[in-house]
Amino acid sequence: MKGQDQFADGMRGPLQGQVAGEDPCRSLIAQTLPSLQRMPPEDLRLNFQRSVLMKLDSILEKQQEGLVLLQRVVSSLGSSVEDIDNVFPRPWQTIEEMENMCTHLDKDADLRKKMILYLSSIGGTDLGDTVPKIIRKLFTNKLMSRYNMKARNGKLRFH
C-alpha cells in the first residue's frame, strides 16, 4: 500500500537497503546505527526497555522534586492547601452557593489567598488542561449546565 512507505517529513518510498517483508523500524535503526545491526532483536528490545525505564525514573524523580518545591512555596505563604477543605468542602451546586462564595472572596483577603492556593494546586499541563480541571472542582455538572460563554439557549453567560 502506498501510504505505508510515507514518512512524517514527507519523504516517499521504501527505506534504503530494506528487504521485502523486513520490519521498517528495524531497518531504519540498522541504517542509523550500524552497531545495532549486529545485535540480536532481544538485546535491542532489552536496551530499549532499559532506556525507557531509566527515563521514566528520571521523570518521576523530577516530579518529586517539583512537588517538594511546591510544598515549600505553599508552606512559606503561611497557609496550607488542606485548610481550604474547611472553606470549600465540595463543588457548588446552586447559583446561590456560588454567589455567596464570590461575596466572601471579595470581602476576605485570607480566604481569597487560600482559594488561590487551592486552585493553583490543581495544576495541569497547559491552560486548556488546567481550566477544565478547575471548573470540575468548583461546579457540579448540574450547575455548569446552566451556563455557556454566550448566554445562548436560555442559559446564563459564564464570565
Side-chain angles (χ1 to χ4, degrees):
M1 199 169 174
K2 268 179 147 177
Q4 290 176 337
D5 293 330
Q6 185 174 2
F7 294 97
D9 63 353
M11 295 185 344
R12 293 182 183 271
L15 296 171
Q16 290 179 339
Q18 182 178 351
V19 177
E22 183 180 359
D23 178 20
C25 293
R26 183 163 169 78
S27 179
L28 181 61
I29 291 170
Q31 288 176 21
T32 307
L33 302 169
S35 64
L36 293 177
Q37 249 177 337
R38 295 184 294 274
M39 292 179 81
E42 184 60 30
D43 288 348
L44 283 173
R45 273 191 286 283
L46 289 175
N47 283 343
F48 174 73
Q49 288 172 347
R50 192 172 296 121
S51 172
V52 168
L53 290 173
M54 288 175 63
K55 288 178 182 177
L56 284 173
D57 189 47
S58 174
I59 290 169
L60 287 172
E61 200 172 287
K62 289 182 189 303
Q63 186 179 22
Q64 286 293 346
E65 290 170 7
L67 181 59
V68 167
L69 288 173
L70 180 61
Q71 288 170 341
R72 284 184 191 158
V73 168
V74 169
S75 66
S76 73
L77 295 172
S79 175
S80 170
V81 173
E82 290 84 26
D83 290 345
I84 199 69
D85 288 335
N86 299 330
V87 177
F88 191 71
R90 60 180 169 73
W92 298 309
Q93 296 183 14
T94 66
I95 294 172
E96 292 77 26
E97 286 180 3
M98 179 184 63
E99 289 173 347
N100 286 338
M101 179 58 83
C102 290
T103 302
H104 281 52
L105 290 170
D106 285 339
K107 293 178 181 176
D108 186 348
D110 188 48
L111 176 62
R112 188 171 40 254
K113 183 178 172 183
K114 288 178 183 179
M115 182 64 94
I116 290 169
L117 285 172
Y118 172 70
L119 296 176
S120 64
S121 73
I122 294 170
T125 56
D126 57 25
L127 192 61
D129 181 43
T130 305
V131 171
K133 286 181 179 180
I134 289 173
I135 287 174
R136 282 192 298 272
K137 292 282 187 181
L138 295 176
F139 301 92
T140 59
N141 286 340
K142 183 178 177 182
L143 179 58
M144 206 51 221
S145 70
R146 299 193 57 200
Y147 287 88
N148 66 32
M149 295 303 287
K150 299 191 179 191
R152 292 186 181 157
N153 302 324
K155 295 186 177 190
L156 301 169
R157 182 172 181 257
F158 186 75
H159 54 92

